[in-house]
Amino acid sequence: CGVVWRHHLQAVLEMQPRLISYSAVVEPDALRRAAALKALDGQGAPARSFATLMEAIEADPDRTLFEAVDIMVPNVGNLHEHVAREAQNAERHVLLEKPISVCIASGERILQAQPPEKVLMVAENAQYWREVLLVQRLIHQGQLGDLLSVRAKCWESAHPALNEWAADGSYDAGSFIADAAEGFVFDSGLHWLRPLRMFLGKAVRVSAVAGRSLLQMRGPSMTQALICFESGVTAIFEAILAPGAISEQPFFCIQGTKAEVQIDGFAGGARLFTIQDGKMIEEDLNGEFSGAIGWDTGYAGEMLDFAQAVLHQKTPEAGA
């Protein structure tokens, strides 16, 4: 499951009130399985462990051990579809890490296979970032005026000293991201493309070039793209997995006729720039807000959204 399971677990452990508990760990690698079980000690209830999802399903024919499956396997080949279909056939609710699959046909098969009375949700945390939601509101309220320029930058370092995924070996030769044809951009870029859709609507045309910043990675590890949206705005999208150092850079910069807004990087933060009385004013959009901000807060939102959909039949906050 790589690194992301730690973020899902932390979001669940911090959930108030606690609506989710992990009752089983499924992981083929024995060392990773043991690490996950140890981490689960913090939730206060013991969990069982299995090497495959089918083992877990066969051990729980009456669905008393687990009623939902949080799928965080690598998105390579048909693995996402295979594991999702196992959970669906066993009549479980499914939380499936983004991207839903590697191609449209596979994604459509997953959607069609979901039992109508069960929840299927694709986990993508950017749509729950506080700053993304604040900026979406500003745009829709017209406070930026007509949008002139939108820039989005997906950036990470592949150096293990700067990136927990790199430290875990996710970008090493032989890893699923390095060996798969999709590469880093496919796996990570969705965190930037989803907010662009929230800001600008449906994308209708794309012109892009792609390249390799890491020689051991088969698929694209960098790209530059122009994305035209149905709103009439064209956004610049750049993604790069730098082999070494890379500076802190805004994730989004949106220029309107009335104001500009910037959304900062992984630690969170957003600023609104306006002209008042002949002077430029910089406003912290988080203002007096004292709660948590940044990348990891999105995981809390997605886990809560899924839990409420399963337990209370609540329509998810995240749109389709």
Side-chain angles (χ1 to χ4, degrees):
C1 290
V3 172
V4 73
W5 69 267
R6 300 190 188 108
H7 295 270
H8 282 221
L9 175 59
Q10 189 62 34
V12 167
L13 294 179
E14 294 176 357
M15 185 182 293
Q16 297 294 333
R18 181 84 58 80
L19 301 179
I20 296 175
S21 64
Y22 287 111
S23 56
V25 171
V26 177
E27 167 60 62
D29 184 276
L31 292 178
R32 289 180 179 273
R33 190 164 63 245
L37 284 172
K38 183 177 180 181
L40 283 173
D41 288 344
Q43 71 172 357
R48 296 180 61 181
S49 66
F50 304 90
T52 69
L53 180 57
M54 283 308 302
E55 286 183 13
I57 290 169
E58 291 169 358
D60 187 34
D62 54 0
R63 298 194 292 274
T64 57
L65 177 61
F66 64 98
E67 59 180 317
V69 180
D70 185 3
I71 300 175
M72 297 170 282
V73 300
N75 197 349
V76 293
N78 69 344
L79 187 57
H80 255 214
E81 181 179 359
H82 176 75
V83 177
R85 293 291 294 275
E86 286 184 342
Q88 291 170 321
N89 291 338
E91 297 287 322
R92 262 60 173 200
H93 303 284
V94 173
L95 180 64
L96 180 60
E97 258 294 328
K98 60 78 202 161
I100 187 171
S101 195
V102 295
C103 66
I104 293 173
S106 176
E108 288 178 341
R109 287 193 295 268
I110 293 172
L111 293 175
Q112 292 166 1
Q114 185 66 14
E117 70 281 6
K118 300 297 180 181
V119 173
L120 168 63
M121 179 172 153
V122 177
E124 196 291 301
N125 61 310
Q127 59 203 331
Y128 301 97
W129 294 347
R130 171 180 168 82
E131 291 85 351
V132 167
L133 294 172
L134 288 172
V135 170
Q136 181 189 38
R137 189 178 310 133
L138 289 177
I139 292 172
H140 291 174
Q141 291 174 346
Q143 294 191 42
L144 302 186
D146 295 330
L147 299 186
L148 302 173
S149 172
V150 178
R151 288 182 283 124
K153 184 159 186 178
C154 162
W155 58 268
E156 289 185 37
S157 170
H159 195 286
L162 303 175
N163 188 320
E164 61 178 325
W165 271 265
D168 192 61
S170 295
Y171 306 138
D172 292 350
S175 69
F176 80 92
I177 295 180
D179 282 358
E182 296 78 24
F184 163 79
V185 175
F186 176 79
D187 188 68
S188 296
L190 293 183
H191 292 302
W192 282 257
L193 296 176
R194 183 57 182 259
L196 285 177
R197 288 177 53 211
M198 294 169 65
F199 301 154
L200 306 175
K202 182 180 178 181
V204 293
R205 291 187 305 278
V206 178
S207 178
V209 294
R212 296 166 63 203
S213 55
L214 298 185
L215 296 181
Q216 73 268 24
M217 189 168 288
R218 177 185 171 199
S221 44
M222 62 179 183
T223 192
Q224 293 85 35
L226 293 175
I227 307 174
C228 300
F229 291 84
E230 61 184 0
S231 59
V233 177
T234 297
I236 300 168
F237 170 65
E238 180 182 3
I240 186 166
L241 180 60
I246 188 168
S247 63
E248 290 283 335
Q249 300 170 43
F251 281 168
F252 298 92
C253 183
I254 303 170
Q255 178 69 58
T257 55
K258 295 180 180 179
E260 178 190 271
V261 68
Q262 290 187 4
I263 299 178
D264 295 326
F266 292 98
R271 288 155 294 136
L272 177 68
F273 298 88
T274 57
I275 297 291
Q276 298 179 26
D277 299 324
K279 298 180 180 180
M280 188 170 77
I281 304 299
E282 178 180 340
E283 176 187 351
D284 180 355
L285 287 183
N286 284 315
E288 301 299 319
F289 179 73
S290 60
I293 60 173
W295 180 273
D296 280 357
T297 60
Y299 294 109
E302 72 183 17
M303 301 306 291
L304 178 61
D305 218 6
F306 180 66
Q308 291 180 332
V310 170
L311 298 174
H312 307 306
Q313 296 75 52
K314 182 179 180 292
T315 300
E317 296 294 331

